[in-house]
Amino acid sequence: MPEGRGSDIGGPLREREARQGRHGMAVYSQSFFARDGGLLSYGVDEVDAWRRAASYVDRILRGAKPGDLPVQFPTKFQMVLNLKTAKALGLAVPPSILLRADEVIE
């Protein structure tokens, strides 16, 4: 977990985004980064991943051998766009990105 995770992470993320300028924008893999001030995140849907893990735990507790269970890969991904950060950086976000985002922070 990143250092500073909590209520104060947004400030440092916005400052980092601003320093990077137009040519060094970061895309984060976990949605909380975008919610806390980062520009964009794209990665595994954490809620779906935990649900899938819970089904594995259930199967193991019911007697299945862990080695017999198939490997599962993520099937659901999530894009979170922070429009506040985009506006602060002077970026115009194309409508196609707005339509594809699962969550838009205004």
Side-chain angles (χ1 to χ4, degrees):
M1 186 166 295
E3 185 177 327
R5 174 73 172 111
S7 62
D8 67 335
I9 196 168
L13 279 175
R14 278 189 287 278
E15 291 168 13
R16 185 179 327 142
E17 293 280 351
R19 281 194 309 269
Q20 288 173 336
R22 285 183 162 275
H23 302 289
M25 295 297 149
V27 176
Y28 302 97
S29 63
Q30 294 177 315
S31 60
F32 74 82
F33 281 112
R35 290 187 190 103
D36 287 345
L39 178 62
L40 179 77
S41 70
Y42 182 76
V44 174
D45 183 323
E46 292 109 359
V47 173
D48 184 61
W50 284 108
R51 280 190 188 122
R52 292 164 60 95
S55 71
Y56 259 42
V57 170
D58 180 59
R59 290 167 70 179
I60 292 168
L61 291 175
R62 292 177 188 263
K65 294 180 182 175
D68 293 341
L69 297 175
V71 173
Q72 290 189 358
F73 296 98
T75 57
K76 191 172 178 187
F77 296 85
Q78 180 181 42
M79 180 190 296
V80 179
L81 172 66
N82 191 324
L83 276 182
K84 283 196 260 186
T85 301
K87 287 177 185 177
L89 294 170
L91 298 175
V93 179
S96 60
I97 299 295
L98 287 171
L99 290 172
R100 289 182 185 194
D102 297 296
E103 182 180 343
V104 177
I105 299 163
E106 295 190 52

